[in-house]
Amino acid sequence: MKTSMQFKNQDFPLDLRFSVEKLMAHYTQEAATDHLQAQNRIKELTQITQKFPELITGISDLDNLSQYQEQIDNLLLDLFPAVLQSNEIKIVSMPFQETVLQSTKRYKSIIASGGEEYTPEITNFDDNHYYIMGCSIILMQYYGYKIDFRRPFYYEIPDASGMTRSYRMLYNGDFVGIEKKPETPEITEEDVAVLLDNFDNIEVWKEKFPSQGYIFKGFVIANLYDATVDVSISNLKSGLLRYDQDDTNFTEDFHKIFQAIFNLPEIQIGFSNYNEQEGKFELVPLKKINSYILYGETEATCTSALCEGSYDAVFKTGKYFAVSDIKQYHKRFPDIKMYENFKDQGIGSVILAPVRYKGNLLGIFELASPNVGELNTINANKLEDVMPYIVEAVVRNKEQQENEIELVIQNECTSIHQSVYWKFEQEAKRFLKLQAQGDANVQFRDVVFKDVYPLFGQIDIKGSSEARNKATQKDILLQLDKAIEILKEARSIESLPIYEQLEYNLNEFLVETKEQLEVDSERKILNFLKENIRPLFSHLLKRSDKLKALITSYRSQIEDNLGLVYRHRKEYDESVMLLNKRMAAVLEKKQKTAQNMYPHFFELFKTDGVEHNMYLGEAITKDDSFNKIYLYNLRLWQLQVMCEMENEHFSLSRKMDHPLEVASMILVFNTSLSVRYRMDEKRFDVDGTYNARYEVVKKRVDKAYIKGTQERITQAGKITIVYSQYEDEQEYLRYIKFLQTKNYLGSEIEILQLEDLQAVTGLKALRVNVLYAQKKGKAKKSFYTYEDLMEEIKA
């Protein structure tokens, strides 16, 4: 025991008094068993307490306990048997005081390693917690409430190597007695109920338990055990959560945690992320954590980063791979890059732990030591307790990373086709990485795919503008007829010249609309109805039941927010929507098969018909697998699918009240081009001036005429294939001949010259009629031409 003691003079509910009264009661009970040794011992101790009775009644001036050092040592001797002095970590103290009254040799040795200035303190408590814990002792010991306020107490003590070790303290209160001072109010059940709901409200506790309100007589025994690994694992779990929240200090703490777990002050940790798409190891995106495998590189292939043994462990067995002597292994295998990298980084021994989740590799957790033999296959087993938390953290981190990448792509781009998603993911990673490094000016760059082959096709509704205008004309005429009918009935009830004049105006609109629907006819008629006819309705509704019925019928025809009849246009729009939906469904279903043939970019647009873009090439697939045979295959596939879409239209048109005519076209581009996703427009477009010719043709060719005529190049019942090179013509003639044998196409083949488009000359077209399949038992023929179809429909 130290000759000079300093106890906390803190605000506390207990008036602390050192006393051996409970200890002496224990000895007295033992002596009653007629045990000679116990009887001799009680005589010896009684002599001490008779000479120093304050050791029984209680010594309140704790700072003067040093003058009783010899007596206290003797009284507590049996609590510290000599044979356990070097094994047990035990002390005697007053509750929640740093000063130790008695201790074992091992405790003294542990404290000495902390240095001369080191004073142990409970790490996870403040003054308020001390006060509340004092109150909890009173509730349990004095009042008998079984309320568990206890929390684990820890000392953090540096060892000889400078590492901080954690020791958990377990208190023994067998030699404690508590008395209430007369002036202190009793604690009632109502008080306890209030305290249960106010654990963190120190003022409530101090109100119920005044400072120094109860007398503590006795001492506590505290046993300590080394809980460094348990505490480190706990810190690891909470630290990994901070790591998810981008705690910049955690990487340094991470090293300390594993140093404590392995009891090796020089080991360091690293991590290599596994990118399954690329088949590579890479630095952890967005996180500042080193990788000893990559050694300064941002990524590396799996075979170049690992040796054969570690590769098998990581990808096949899933076991830890440990090398206890890197220098020795490098001498034996000088050509293996992994050992050379470790040696160059000053690593003496290493453990590589594959991080796997549901059978999939997520990355490699790395432990490295500068010392030979420190890391090995034996202590690698310590990772068993921590790997589940690392796996969980890596899974969370990957999900968070994927969400961040997805968010960037959604913010910067429109919906991206799966075939090219990987390219946008790469750019999103670059964007986030630079952003994390503090680059305030980083921008999401345009994504470019070079040397890809385009395919374009459309099945377009013929005369869509004219058909929509006719539907609009019919709706206006219907509305005018209804309005005129209302005014005629109004005049029959109430012969006012104003009704006649309004009817005259409506008849003028009626005649004009029947002759021709002008650009602004709809607007003029709408304004007239809004200003002159609709205001009359509230008056006319009261005039007669017939007028009320006519106005109700008029209003029932109005389905558009502008106040116009939307009947024939609705029928047309619904027909267009139905046709587009069915055409798109065929194309999207067939597209799944095409993707299995060879991955490519695909996008579909619905307007007055359905059109699609396709791009394929090495730049899209990433793999070194592209061959022109895949291009030829998709061209044939496209032509066949266009025939099937025509047949779907044929089947649908027979069931529609207002059949729509369609015309199909395929545009062939002879050479590859570059495609750029333009961030400002959020869409794909060809890249470069020369390639822009393709877009020009794509937008205008379906409206082009056959050279020297006024006949459109596209025609109902036929597929038009537009091209510019003779070899394209020969290629598609082969496809046509093949599809003729399969009854997709008829025998009428035309080779046509197109009128020059703006800045585009020399275009030609193949035009071939489609055969429409009929179900057996439904008609005289199995296959129809378009002309056959029209004749049967008319019949």
Side-chain angles (χ1 to χ4, degrees), residues 603-640:
E603 60 182 352
L604 179 148
F605 302 99
K606 299 176 189 175
T607 53
D608 283 339
V610 174
E611 62 181 50
H612 63 274
N613 283 320
M614 299 164 63
Y615 300 104
L616 76 157
E618 204 74 60
I620 289 175
T621 59
K622 292 191 301 180
D623 303 324
D624 185 17
S625 61
F626 178 72
N627 187 286
K628 273 201 171 183
I629 190 66
Y630 297 116
L631 171 64
Y632 303 145
N633 182 72
L634 282 180
R635 283 178 174 176
L636 174 58
W637 169 88
Q638 182 188 38
L639 181 56
Q640 182 172 320

Coordinates of all heavy atoms in Angstrom, one line a residue, residues 603-640:
E603 N -32.5 0.3 -77.5 CA -33.5 1.3 -77.0 C -34.7 1.4 -77.9 O -34.5 1.2 -79.1 CB -32.9 2.7 -76.8 CG -32.3 3.3 -78.0 CD -31.7 4.7 -77.7 OE1 -31.8 5.2 -76.5 OE2 -31.1 5.3 -78.6
L604 N -35.8 1.6 -77.3 CA -37.1 1.6 -78.1 C -37.8 2.9 -77.8 O -37.8 3.4 -76.7 CB -37.9 0.3 -77.6 CG -39.3 0.1 -78.2 CD1 -39.5 -1.4 -78.3 CD2 -40.4 0.8 -77.4
F605 N -38.5 3.4 -78.9 CA -39.2 4.6 -78.7 C -40.6 4.4 -79.3 O -40.8 3.8 -80.3 CB -38.6 5.8 -79.5 CG -37.2 6.1 -79.0 CD1 -36.1 5.6 -79.8 CD2 -36.9 6.8 -77.9 CE1 -34.8 5.9 -79.4 CE2 -35.6 7.1 -77.5 CZ -34.6 6.6 -78.2
K606 N -41.6 5.0 -78.6 CA -43.0 4.9 -79.1 C -43.5 6.3 -79.4 O -43.5 7.2 -78.6 CB -43.9 4.3 -78.0 CG -43.6 2.9 -77.6 CD -44.5 2.5 -76.4 CE -44.1 1.2 -75.8 NZ -44.9 0.8 -74.6
T607 N -43.8 6.5 -80.7 CA -44.4 7.8 -81.1 C -45.7 7.4 -81.9 O -46.6 6.8 -81.3 CB -43.4 8.6 -82.0 OG1 -42.9 7.7 -83.1 CG2 -42.2 9.0 -81.2
D608 N -45.8 7.8 -83.2 CA -46.8 7.3 -84.0 C -46.3 6.0 -84.7 O -46.0 6.0 -85.9 CB -47.2 8.3 -85.1 CG -48.1 9.4 -84.5 OD1 -48.7 9.1 -83.4 OD2 -48.2 10.5 -85.0
G609 N -46.1 5.0 -83.9 CA -45.4 3.8 -84.3 C -44.3 3.4 -83.3 O -44.2 4.0 -82.2
V610 N -43.5 2.5 -83.7 CA -42.4 2.0 -82.8 C -41.1 2.0 -83.6 O -41.1 1.5 -84.7 CB -42.7 0.6 -82.2 CG1 -41.5 0.1 -81.5 CG2 -44.0 0.6 -81.4
E611 N -40.1 2.6 -83.0 CA -38.8 2.6 -83.6 C -37.7 2.1 -82.6 O -37.9 2.2 -81.4 CB -38.4 3.9 -84.2 CG -38.2 5.0 -83.3 CD -37.9 6.4 -83.9 OE1 -38.5 6.7 -84.9 OE2 -36.9 7.0 -83.5
H612 N -36.6 1.5 -83.1 CA -35.6 1.0 -82.2 C -34.2 1.3 -82.7 O -34.0 1.3 -84.0 CB -35.8 -0.5 -82.0 CG -35.7 -1.3 -83.2 ND1 -36.7 -1.6 -84.1 CD2 -34.6 -2.0 -83.7 CE1 -36.3 -2.3 -85.1 NE2 -35.0 -2.6 -84.9
N613 N -33.3 1.5 -81.8 CA -31.9 1.7 -82.1 C -31.1 0.5 -81.5 O -31.4 0.1 -80.3 CB -31.3 3.0 -81.5 CG -31.7 4.2 -82.3 OD1 -31.7 4.1 -83.5 ND2 -32.0 5.2 -81.6
M614 N -30.1 0.0 -82.2 CA -29.3 -1.0 -81.6 C -27.8 -0.7 -82.0 O -27.5 -0.2 -83.1 CB -29.6 -2.4 -82.2 CG -31.0 -2.8 -81.9 SD -31.6 -4.2 -82.9 CE -30.5 -5.5 -82.5
Y615 N -26.9 -1.0 -81.1 CA -25.5 -0.8 -81.3 C -24.7 -2.0 -80.8 O -25.0 -2.5 -79.6 CB -24.9 0.5 -80.6 CG -25.5 1.8 -81.0 CD1 -26.5 2.4 -80.2 CD2 -25.2 2.3 -82.3 CE1 -27.1 3.6 -80.6 CE2 -25.8 3.5 -82.7 CZ -26.8 4.1 -81.9 OH -27.4 5.3 -82.3
L616 N -23.8 -2.6 -81.5 CA -23.0 -3.7 -81.0 C -21.6 -3.5 -81.4 O -21.3 -2.9 -82.5 CB -23.6 -5.0 -81.5 CG -23.4 -5.5 -82.9 CD1 -23.5 -7.0 -83.0 CD2 -24.4 -4.8 -83.8
G617 N -20.7 -4.1 -80.6 CA -19.3 -4.0 -80.9 C -18.5 -4.3 -79.6 O -19.0 -4.5 -78.5
E618 N -17.2 -4.3 -79.8 CA -16.3 -4.6 -78.7 C -16.4 -3.6 -77.5 O -16.3 -4.0 -76.4 CB -14.8 -4.6 -79.2 CG -13.9 -5.4 -78.4 CD -14.0 -6.9 -78.6 OE1 -13.9 -7.3 -79.8 OE2 -14.4 -7.6 -77.6
A619 N -16.7 -2.4 -77.9 CA -16.7 -1.3 -76.8 C -17.9 -1.5 -75.9 O -17.9 -1.0 -74.8 CB -16.8 0.0 -77.5
I620 N -18.9 -2.2 -76.4 CA -20.1 -2.4 -75.5 C -20.0 -3.7 -74.7 O -20.3 -3.7 -73.5 CB -21.4 -2.4 -76.4 CG1 -21.6 -1.0 -76.9 CG2 -22.6 -3.0 -75.6 CD1 -22.8 -0.9 -77.9
T621 N -19.5 -4.7 -75.3 CA -19.4 -6.0 -74.6 C -18.2 -6.1 -73.6 O -18.2 -6.9 -72.7 CB -19.3 -7.2 -75.5 OG1 -18.1 -7.0 -76.4 CG2 -20.5 -7.3 -76.4
K622 N -17.2 -5.3 -73.8 CA -15.9 -5.3 -73.0 C -15.1 -6.5 -73.4 O -13.9 -6.4 -73.3 CB -16.2 -5.4 -71.5 CG -16.8 -4.2 -70.9 CD -16.8 -4.2 -69.4 CE -17.5 -5.4 -68.9 NZ -17.5 -5.5 -67.4
D623 N -15.7 -7.6 -73.7 CA -14.9 -8.8 -73.9 C -14.3 -8.8 -75.3 O -14.8 -8.3 -76.3 CB -15.8 -10.1 -73.8 CG -16.5 -10.1 -72.4 OD1 -15.8 -9.7 -71.5 OD2 -17.6 -10.5 -72.3
D624 N -13.2 -9.5 -75.5 CA -12.5 -9.7 -76.8 C -13.2 -10.8 -77.5 O -12.7 -11.9 -77.7 CB -11.0 -10.0 -76.5 CG -10.3 -10.0 -77.9 OD1 -10.8 -9.5 -78.9 OD2 -9.2 -10.6 -77.9
S625 N -14.5 -10.6 -77.9 CA -15.3 -11.6 -78.5 C -16.0 -11.2 -79.8 O -16.7 -12.1 -80.4 CB -16.3 -12.1 -77.5 OG -17.2 -11.1 -77.1
F626 N -15.9 -9.9 -80.1 CA -16.8 -9.5 -81.3 C -16.3 -10.0 -82.6 O -15.1 -10.0 -82.9 CB -16.8 -8.0 -81.3 CG -17.7 -7.5 -82.5 CD1 -19.0 -7.6 -82.5 CD2 -17.1 -6.9 -83.6 CE1 -19.8 -7.2 -83.5 CE2 -17.8 -6.5 -84.6 CZ -19.2 -6.6 -84.6
N627 N -17.2 -10.5 -83.4 CA -16.9 -10.9 -84.8 C -18.1 -10.4 -85.6 O -19.2 -10.3 -85.2 CB -16.8 -12.4 -84.8 CG -16.3 -12.9 -86.2 OD1 -17.1 -12.9 -87.2 ND2 -15.1 -13.3 -86.3
K628 N -17.8 -10.1 -86.9 CA -18.9 -9.5 -87.7 C -20.0 -10.5 -88.0 O -21.1 -10.1 -88.4 CB -18.3 -9.1 -89.1 CG -17.8 -7.6 -89.1 CD -17.7 -7.1 -90.5 CE -17.5 -5.6 -90.4 NZ -17.5 -5.0 -91.8
I629 N -19.8 -11.8 -87.7 CA -20.9 -12.8 -87.8 C -22.0 -12.4 -86.9 O -23.2 -12.7 -87.2 CB -20.3 -14.2 -87.5 CG1 -21.4 -15.2 -87.9 CG2 -20.0 -14.3 -86.0 CD1 -21.7 -15.3 -89.3
Y630 N -21.7 -11.8 -85.7 CA -22.8 -11.3 -84.8 C -23.6 -10.2 -85.4 O -24.8 -10.1 -85.2 CB -22.2 -11.0 -83.4 CG -21.5 -12.1 -82.7 CD1 -20.2 -12.1 -82.5 CD2 -22.3 -13.2 -82.3 CE1 -19.6 -13.2 -81.8 CE2 -21.7 -14.3 -81.7 CZ -20.3 -14.3 -81.4 OH -19.7 -15.3 -80.8
L631 N -22.9 -9.3 -86.1 CA -23.6 -8.2 -86.8 C -24.5 -8.8 -87.9 O -25.7 -8.4 -87.9 CB -22.6 -7.3 -87.4 CG -23.1 -6.2 -88.4 CD1 -24.0 -5.2 -87.6 CD2 -22.0 -5.4 -89.1
Y632 N -24.0 -9.7 -88.7 CA -24.9 -10.3 -89.7 C -26.1 -11.0 -89.1 O -27.2 -11.0 -89.6 CB -24.1 -11.2 -90.6 CG -22.8 -10.6 -91.2 CD1 -21.7 -11.3 -91.4 CD2 -22.9 -9.2 -91.6 CE1 -20.5 -10.7 -92.0 CE2 -21.8 -8.7 -92.2 CZ -20.6 -9.4 -92.4 OH -19.5 -8.8 -93.0
N633 N -25.8 -11.7 -88.0 CA -26.9 -12.4 -87.4 C -28.0 -11.5 -86.9 O -29.2 -11.8 -87.0 CB -26.3 -13.2 -86.2 CG -27.3 -14.1 -85.5 OD1 -27.8 -15.1 -86.0 ND2 -27.7 -13.6 -84.3
L634 N -27.6 -10.4 -86.3 CA -28.6 -9.4 -85.8 C -29.3 -8.7 -86.9 O -30.5 -8.4 -86.7 CB -27.9 -8.4 -84.8 CG -27.6 -8.9 -83.4 CD1 -27.0 -7.9 -82.5 CD2 -28.9 -9.4 -82.7
R635 N -28.7 -8.5 -88.0 CA -29.4 -7.9 -89.1 C -30.5 -8.9 -89.6 O -31.6 -8.4 -89.9 CB -28.4 -7.6 -90.3 CG -27.5 -6.4 -90.0 CD -26.5 -6.2 -91.1 NE -25.8 -4.9 -91.0 CZ -24.8 -4.5 -91.8 NH1 -24.4 -5.2 -92.7 NH2 -24.3 -3.3 -91.6
L636 N -30.1 -10.2 -89.7 CA -31.1 -11.1 -90.1 C -32.2 -11.2 -89.1 O -33.4 -11.3 -89.4 CB -30.5 -12.5 -90.3 CG -31.4 -13.7 -90.6 CD1 -32.2 -13.4 -91.9 CD2 -30.6 -15.0 -90.7
W637 N -31.8 -11.2 -87.8 CA -32.8 -11.3 -86.7 C -33.8 -10.1 -86.8 O -35.0 -10.2 -86.7 CB -32.1 -11.3 -85.4 CG -33.0 -11.0 -84.2 CD1 -33.7 -12.0 -83.5 CD2 -33.3 -9.8 -83.6 NE1 -34.4 -11.4 -82.5 CE2 -34.2 -10.0 -82.6 CE3 -33.0 -8.4 -83.9 CZ2 -34.7 -9.0 -81.8 CZ3 -33.5 -7.4 -83.1 CH2 -34.3 -7.7 -82.0
Q638 N -33.2 -8.9 -87.1 CA -34.0 -7.7 -87.2 C -35.0 -7.7 -88.3 O -36.2 -7.4 -88.1 CB -33.1 -6.4 -87.4 CG -33.8 -5.1 -87.4 CD -32.9 -4.0 -87.8 OE1 -32.0 -4.1 -88.7 NE2 -33.1 -2.8 -87.2
L639 N -34.6 -8.2 -89.4 CA -35.5 -8.3 -90.6 C -36.6 -9.3 -90.3 O -37.8 -9.1 -90.6 CB -34.7 -8.8 -91.8 CG -35.5 -8.9 -93.1 CD1 -36.3 -7.6 -93.5 CD2 -34.6 -9.3 -94.3
Q640 N -36.3 -10.4 -89.6 CA -37.3 -11.4 -89.3 C -38.3 -10.9 -88.3 O -39.5 -11.1 -88.4 CB -36.6 -12.7 -88.8 CG -37.6 -13.8 -88.4 CD -36.9 -15.1 -88.1 OE1 -35.9 -15.4 -88.7 NE2 -37.4 -15.8 -87.1

